[in-house]
Amino acid sequence: MDLDVFVTAHRTEWDRLEHLLRQGRRLTGAEADELVVLYQRTATHLSLIQSSSTDPLLTGRLTQLVARARSTVTGTRKASWRDAARFLTAGFPAAVYRSRHWWVPTAVLSIAVAALLGWWIGTHPEVQAAIAAPEDLRAMTRPGGEYETYYSSHPAASFAAQVWTNNAQAAALCLVLGAFLCLPVMWILFLNMLNLGVGIGLMSSAGRLDVFLGLVLPHGLLELTAVFVAAGTGLRLGWTVIDPGPLSRRTALAQQGRAALGMAIGLALVLFVSGLIEGFVTPSGLPTWARITIGITAELAFLAYVYILGGRAARAGDTGDLAAVERSAELPTAA
């Protein structure tokens, strides 16, 4: 494409668009229609120039024109409680539902790894000896030991806040680092499963696996599900870098990244609930069966939320991304 000829052919349209934008709200109906047409044409021109030219001044001018025109055409809106309600009842569960093909296999594989590590540690005394000295292991696994007192070692409110913060950070890292070709996410998952496997192995070798599970299951079901969802979403984001599908890599990453951002907010709320359970239910004096029942109920409620509300919203076309009017204008792809 001859850039000079192209600029000469279309400069009048760009100047006209800039003139209409300066008029603001004083546009007539015909001028408003003209502004929309010129906005669409200029967006196409910008796409063509970006694909065939490296002129930063021209690209900058047209980018600014397109952004101003879009703002004028679509207007601005403020977030409302209705947006928050739509996010909680449709956007977030739909995003989790649509990513189930990533986080469900992630959950199954991770739990299998934790169980395998637990079996290996529990049946190999030499591995246990490499973890800690025998007296330290006894201090951790005996009745009233560190594994049991961990959940009641701090006031419930502060412990719940600390747990929520730590888990939210882990989930956020999975979501953010997924773009780095999935590798950091798999490492974070492995560390989490290693910690779980060590607990399973040491407590089973001491004949107290039932006590350990009674302490972990009430909050762990929901907590680990949130971590698996975050990890699966991060892996999906990383795979988008490798294979963006029919979209351009930038567009595909933008879509997945916006959905991941919303997922981070939703998962923070889920982890807040699991933190409350860990802070107030796990160390409580309730019978083990009652504490586990609370954990199972919370887990089933979340899964129903995802598969019923999320499935319905996903089938209606909700992806967890921003509404079309709220997204940046996507430029046409030059042929």
Side-chain angles (χ1 to χ4, degrees):
M1 180 179 70
D2 189 319
L3 185 61
D4 292 333
V5 173
F6 188 85
V7 170
T8 301
H10 298 290
R11 179 184 285 121
T12 303
E13 292 176 300
W14 305 335
D15 292 342
R16 176 61 177 168
L17 176 59
E18 192 164 18
H19 173 74
L20 293 174
L21 290 173
R22 283 199 297 266
Q23 288 187 235
R25 297 180 179 274
R26 299 188 301 273
L27 296 175
T28 65
E31 288 174 331
D33 292 339
E34 183 184 5
L35 187 146
V36 172
V37 172
L38 291 175
Y39 158 58
Q40 294 170 336
R41 288 180 183 173
T42 305
T44 303
H45 298 161
L46 176 58
S47 177
L48 291 169
I49 290 172
Q50 286 179 324
S51 65
S52 60
S53 172
T54 57
D55 187 329
L57 293 178
L58 181 59
T59 300
R61 184 198 175 191
L62 294 187
T63 299
Q64 184 182 44
L65 268 179
V66 169
R68 289 171 58 196
R70 177 183 180 276
S71 178
T72 300
V73 170
T74 61
T76 58
R77 61 187 298 274
K78 296 181 180 180
S80 65
W81 287 109
R82 182 176 299 177
D83 296 317
R86 195 201 70 81
F87 169 75
L88 291 175
T89 59
F92 172 58
V96 178
Y97 179 82
R98 287 173 62 87
S99 64
R100 68 193 185 282
H101 297 303
W102 286 89
W103 62 264
V104 171
T106 297
V108 172
L109 182 60
S110 298
I111 292 172
V113 168
L116 182 61
L117 288 171
W119 169 84
W120 180 56
I121 294 170
T123 56
H124 292 75
E126 67 276 12
V127 177
Q128 299 169 30
I131 294 174
E135 57 272 17
D136 294 330
L137 294 179
R138 283 192 294 272
M140 287 189 288
T141 59
R142 63 177 175 81
E146 294 177 17
Y147 271 115
E148 289 187 41
T149 59
Y150 170 75
Y151 297 102
S152 56
S153 57
H154 301 284
S158 62
F159 183 70
Q162 178 184 349
V163 166
W164 175 59
T165 302
N166 292 339
N167 290 331
Q169 287 176 345
L173 284 174
C174 287
L175 291 168
V176 172
L177 297 179
F180 295 94
L181 302 181
C182 306
L183 297 178
V185 176
M186 290 188 284
W187 178 246
I188 293 171
L189 268 180
F190 175 74
L191 291 180
N192 276 273
M193 294 306 102
L194 178 60
N195 287 334
L196 180 59
V198 168
I200 292 174
L202 294 181
M203 289 294 276
S204 65
S205 68
R208 308 191 71 235
L209 180 59
D210 57 331
V211 175
F212 180 76
L213 294 179
L215 291 169
V216 170
L217 289 179
H219 64 272
L221 291 172
L222 187 59
E223 177 184 296
L224 286 176
T225 299
V227 172
F228 294 146
V229 170
T233 303
L235 292 173
R236 184 182 186 184
L237 187 61
W239 187 252
T240 301
V241 177
I242 301 171
D243 180 15
L247 302 175
S248 68
R249 184 167 281 102
R250 182 173 64 179
T251 300
L253 275 174
Q255 290 182 356
Q256 295 297 335
R258 287 190 298 263
L261 179 61
M263 195 90 79
I265 298 171
L267 289 178
L269 297 175
V270 176
L271 288 169
F272 177 72
V273 174
S274 72
L276 290 178
I277 296 174
E278 187 167 0
F280 292 93
V281 175
T282 299
S284 71
L286 291 172
T288 300
W289 66 266
R291 290 186 278 112
I292 292 178
T293 299
I294 291 174
I296 292 175
T297 301
E299 173 73 0
L300 292 177
F302 177 71
L303 293 178
Y305 168 72
V306 169
Y307 278 87
I308 296 176
L309 284 183
R312 183 186 305 151
R315 288 188 290 273
D318 202 320
T319 64
D321 195 0
L322 295 173
V325 71
E326 298 170 321
R327 296 197 294 263
S328 298
E330 293 179 3
L331 301 176
T333 303

